[in-house]
Amino acid sequence: LEQFIDTTSLVKDLNAPYYQSLNRKLYQASLTLIKNSRDIIPLKRLDTLSIASVSIGSTMPSPFQETLKKYAPVSCFQTSAVPDESEMIKLMSDLQAYNLLIIDFQNTNIFSWKNYGVSNEAIRLIGKMAGEKQLILNMAACPYLINKIPDDDRIRAVLVSYQDDPVMQEIVAQGVFGGVEISGSLPIKLPEYADYTPGIKTSKTRLNYAGPESLGIERKFLYPVDSIALDGISRKAYPGCQIMAVKDGVVFYDKTFGYHTYDKNQVVRNSDLYDLASLTKIIATTPALMKLYSSKDIDIDYKLSWYLPYLKDSNKEELIIRDIMAHQARLKPWIPYFQYTLGDEGYVPGIYANTISEETPVRVAENLYIRKDYSYVIYDSIRNSDLRDTLEYKYSDLGFYLLVPIVENLTNQSLQEYARDNFFKPLGLSTMGYHPRERYPLDEIIPTEDDKFFRKQLLWGDVHDQGAALLGGVSGHAGLFSNANDVAIFMQMLLQNGNYGGEQILDSMVVSEFTKVQFPLNDNRRGIGFDKPLLEYDEDGPTCESASSRSFGHSGFTGTYAWADPENGLVYVFLCNGIHPDASNKKLLDMDIRTKIHQVFYDAIEQSNHSLSN
């Protein structure tokens, strides 16, 4: 009997998430590495590389290029499928500043009589580039094209991905950086003249970007995340947000919602930068202390005054660094330094100027600069501030101001430089850093508060925290800007005991020490710099109920949150500008949005595990 198949939803059925995940697995299994001189793939020592990607046969950034940029700062170039001499000359000039080129073909085909869509001019261009730079080539075309590729030692690696399908392009880019392992074998005979092998295997060393199905997590269990995020926007807890979740090194949720501001002129993109606020404590300052502690350049059980002699003969002389970083050193929560610069009729004369000069070189905000020596006033205010009477947990920013000069005195670098050189560059964090205006256009930076009291302007690319602003945007408690992807990579490094990308960024024993509870007998949940779950769960605590006692992270006043849980390999990042346009907006906290979303991820993993077991 003839059977008729209803084709009404055929395309949808064939593209169901499960089949998309299967397709991705098949693509990954086929990816083949036939040359890997000096084991260049997966890429290592990102801080030594200046990388450019060239897509031949495209006028727009390819999925291959967009994925490369998730792992490191990569400058992207495109050239026509048949580049002429002038195009080649200009491109070669543009590539002078880079020491590694990653090349791929776009818009290829299966026809040998069309040279598989790769022109002789394109092959000649590869030869010219290989003559000057070390090069990685992604052959997104029929493998017989190998016979046309120049046999040049400067071509350090050759990948065969067989086609330029967008999903395959993403997987190849991940393979270059170690986001996926490479295990494919070439199905054809190799040319005898070239130094190729049928298939070289590599290991996974960095985050893998895939859907939840790759982990056995059912997509339907993640729908509440979207609902909670959108509800927050509709109730004006924030105009937009970025959310990322990672399980066992696999990014299974990566979405953006809403807009930069309530005028809805610019949607939030996953590349946009947010003001991280107090996440600075665990991404810059605390890691700096961790590294110095592992090298025995600092002892956190010494007195703070040992490293900062100007604190001697003050009430801060006996304070211990471990106590300070665990927020039980009797320090006041904060000091409103900026208020002392304001009078009844505006700014106190002699402190600020509306233009940069030798006397006022420190930028506070747009058209607002402060005296170069005003940092001494801030540190003197901390030195002379009163201490609280009891030795108990009380969150304070003040100690993290004082940790900065310690790092700088011991390293002969600014905190900004030290964090960049030791963490951000080796990890490939392209968005992470202080002073985002110096690195990115404004339309890629999310505004925070419309500050009508102190700076009298919309804060856009300048740090929101008033104290950090008076210090020029670089401090130990605030100042970093980043997107969710770079925060997630940093948290994943910590989750993996300081190891990421095949490198030991931080000593594993030090990570363990700093991320555990320090003073449980004093009813203090804190680690060293890191926040921890309450010793006994309370719905008003810093985490969701399912966060384990081994988990750690921090939140930020601007609306940020980052948490890692070694118990089940979960990393969660939520970034928003909940203080836009007004810092008095408490809806983000009142609605418990960040921790509710966190709980959904735990529930989704548990529900999926339960479904699989049944």
Side-chain angles (χ1 to χ4, degrees):
L1 296 177
E2 290 185 350
Q3 290 184 326
F4 292 94
I5 298 173
D6 184 3
T7 61
T8 304
S9 60
L10 183 61
V11 173
K12 180 181 178 182
D13 292 343
L14 291 175
N15 287 277
Y18 171 78
Y19 299 115
Q20 289 181 345
S21 178
L22 177 60
N23 188 47
R24 181 176 286 272
K25 289 178 181 177
L26 293 172
Y27 276 142
Q28 182 180 329
S30 70
L31 177 59
T32 308
L33 179 63
I34 62 172
K35 182 177 182 180
N36 196 24
S37 176
R38 301 179 189 174
D39 294 326
I40 190 172
I41 290 179
L43 292 176
K44 297 170 278 292
R45 291 299 310 274
L46 299 184
D47 54 330
T48 68
L49 299 176
S50 179
I51 306 172
S53 166
V54 180
S55 279
I56 300 175
S58 175
T59 58
M60 298 290 291
S62 61
F64 179 72
Q65 292 181 321
E66 293 297 335
T67 305
L68 289 174
K69 291 194 291 185
K70 292 183 177 182
Y71 291 98
V74 177
S75 298
C76 296
F77 301 87
Q78 298 82 37
T79 186
S80 62
V82 188
D84 59 26
E85 193 66 28
S86 63
E87 194 173 0
M88 290 187 193
I89 291 172
K90 183 181 186 309
L91 180 62
M92 294 301 294
S93 176
D94 291 340
L95 296 176
Q96 286 301 309
Y98 304 93
N99 61 14
L100 174 65
L101 308 182
I102 304 176
I103 314 300
D104 74 301
F105 299 119
Q106 294 289 314
N107 298 309
T108 58
N109 60 56
I110 61 173
F111 305 114
S112 60
W113 59 278
K114 290 187 177 181
N115 213 29
Y116 310 110
V118 179
S119 67
N120 291 329
E121 289 84 353
I123 297 296
R124 189 161 69 89
L125 176 59
I126 291 173
K128 288 172 69 72
M129 290 188 287
E132 296 190 11
K133 310 283 183 182
Q134 58 179 343
L135 186 150
I136 292 172
L137 176 62
N138 168 31
M139 280 198 2
C142 175
Y144 284 110
L145 187 63
I146 294 170
N147 295 300
K148 301 264 185 190
I149 301 302
D151 184 17
D152 193 310
D153 290 340
R154 298 288 287 183
I155 301 179
R156 296 292 173 83
V158 178
L159 293 135
V160 182
S161 55
Y162 306 98
Q163 57 183 298
D164 62 355
D165 177 271
V167 174
M168 188 57 159
Q169 291 186 48
E170 293 175 11
I171 289 170
V172 182
Q174 295 190 52
V176 169
F177 281 96
V180 299
E181 63 179 22
I182 301 174
S183 59
S185 295
L186 202 65
I188 67 168
K189 186 177 180 181
L190 289 161
E192 295 181 0
Y193 65 84
D195 185 19
Y196 296 141
T197 58
I200 302 166
K201 299 184 186 303
T202 67
S203 300
K204 179 183 182 301
T205 60
R206 293 187 174 89
L207 288 184
N208 169 218
Y209 298 84
E213 291 77 19
S214 65
L215 293 167
I217 298 173
E218 295 186 53
R219 196 172 293 259
K220 65 182 180 181
F221 295 134
L222 297 174
Y223 293 157
V225 176
D226 299 33
S227 299
I228 295 170
L230 290 169
D231 184 50
I233 292 171
S234 68
R235 295 169 64 178
K236 294 197 171 181
Y238 45 83
C241 63
Q242 295 174 352
I243 306 173
M244 181 172 280
V246 184
K247 174 79 165 69
D248 300 332
V250 177
V251 178
F252 66 93
Y253 189 97
D254 181 12
K255 289 188 178 182
T256 64
F257 299 91
Y259 299 84
H260 283 206
T261 61
Y262 290 111
D263 60 18
K264 298 184 178 181
N265 287 334
Q266 175 65 61
V267 297
V268 175
R269 300 156 296 196
N270 59 16
S271 57
D272 290 332
L273 281 69
Y274 279 89
D275 183 336
L276 298 185
S278 282
L279 294 192
T280 301
K281 293 182 175 75
I282 66 166
I283 298 178
T285 317
T286 298
L289 270 291
M290 294 167 78
K291 195 162 187 69
L292 293 170
Y293 180 69
S294 65
S295 62
K296 301 188 185 310
D297 288 309
I298 193 170
D299 189 332
I300 60 172
D301 292 308
Y302 271 32
K303 296 175 184 178
L304 187 67
S305 59
W306 175 266
Y307 300 98
L308 299 177
Y310 66 80
L311 294 178
K312 291 182 178 179
D313 299 323
S314 76
N315 60 2
K316 311 296 184 303
E317 182 174 7
E318 300 298 319
L319 300 187
I320 303 299
I321 294 175
R322 187 187 295 264
D323 290 339
I324 290 169
M325 298 186 72
H327 298 278
Q328 66 164 41
R330 298 192 293 139
L331 292 167
K332 295 172 63 175
W334 73 301
I335 296 173
Y337 316 98
F338 73 99
Q339 291 183 6
Y340 307 141
T341 70
L342 303 176
D344 295 335
E345 299 180 359
Y347 299 122
V348 173
I351 297 178
Y352 296 105
N354 58 16
T355 57
I356 190 169
S357 69
E358 187 175 343
E359 290 73 28
T360 55
V362 180
R363 180 187 171 101
V364 175
E366 186 74 7
N367 299 322
L368 187 64
Y369 298 85
I370 196 168
R371 281 182 1 218
K372 60 184 176 183
D373 61 349
Y374 201 80
S375 61
Y376 298 117
V377 176
I378 292 175
Y379 283 105
D380 196 52
S381 298
I382 298 174
R383 183 185 188 278
N384 294 319
S385 63
D386 295 331
L387 291 176
R388 300 174 68 253
D389 294 332
T390 55
L391 185 66
E392 61 184 8
Y393 167 67
K394 186 68 174 179
Y395 186 79
S396 173
D397 280 341
L398 302 192
F400 282 82
Y401 282 85
L402 297 174
L403 294 175
V404 175
I406 293 178
V407 173
E408 295 180 342
N409 292 342
L410 291 174
T411 65
N412 289 319
Q413 285 186 290
S414 67
L415 175 64
Q416 178 180 14
E417 294 168 337
Y418 188 77
R420 180 198 64 201
D421 293 347
N422 288 277
F423 310 120
F424 307 157
K425 290 181 70 174
L427 289 169
L429 308 185
S430 57
T431 67
M432 183 77 70
Y434 295 93
H435 295 153
R437 279 171 166 259
E438 298 176 1
R439 303 178 291 117
Y440 284 88
L442 276 178
D443 66 358
E444 296 182 30
I445 305 170
I446 309 288
T448 54
E449 184 183 10
D450 188 0
D451 182 1
K452 298 186 182 301
F453 180 65
F454 170 30
R455 286 154 287 192
K456 299 177 175 57
Q457 60 185 271
L458 175 65
L459 299 175
W460 194 357
D462 290 303
V463 64
H464 174 264
D465 182 90
Q466 298 95 336
L470 293 176
L471 292 172
V474 179
S475 186
H477 69 292
L480 284 182
F481 285 70
S482 176
N483 68 356
N485 182 72
D486 283 358
V487 175
I489 290 173
F490 196 92
M491 297 303 292
Q492 185 69 27
M493 177 272 291
L494 293 171
L495 186 76
Q496 295 175 179
N497 297 311
N499 189 282
Y500 191 80
E503 298 180 59
Q504 199 67 38
I505 305 295
L506 286 168
D507 182 86
S508 60
M509 296 299 291
V510 173
V511 173
S512 177
E513 174 66 19
F514 274 62
T515 57
K516 72 180 184 182
V517 175
Q518 298 298 301
F519 301 102
L521 299 180
N522 204 23
D523 198 28
N524 183 347
R525 70 177 188 265
R526 291 275 174 166
I528 305 173
F530 295 93
D531 200 0
K532 300 278 292 178
L534 288 173
L535 302 178
E536 291 186 14
Y537 175 74
D538 186 292
E539 62 181 11
D540 294 326
T543 67
C544 65
E545 186 171 8
S546 292
S548 79
S549 60
R550 293 180 60 200
S551 69
F552 55 87
H554 217 286
S555 61
F557 182 76
T558 52
T560 58
Y561 189 89
W563 212 265
D565 194 343
E567 197 73 31
N568 73 342
L570 179 64
V571 166
Y572 162 55
V573 178
F574 180 97
L575 304 182
C576 81
N577 51 339
I579 57 170
H580 177 82
D582 189 345
S584 66
N585 181 8
K586 303 298 181 186
K587 291 178 183 177
L588 181 69
L589 288 172
D590 294 341
M591 296 168 66
D592 292 329
I593 290 171
R594 293 174 289 188
T595 52
K596 282 182 179 177
I597 290 175
H598 200 186
Q599 185 62 49
V600 171
F601 289 127
Y602 279 104
D603 292 342
I605 293 168
E606 183 177 351
Q607 289 168 318
S608 298
N609 289 340
H610 181 71
S611 296
L612 288 173
S613 64
N614 290 337

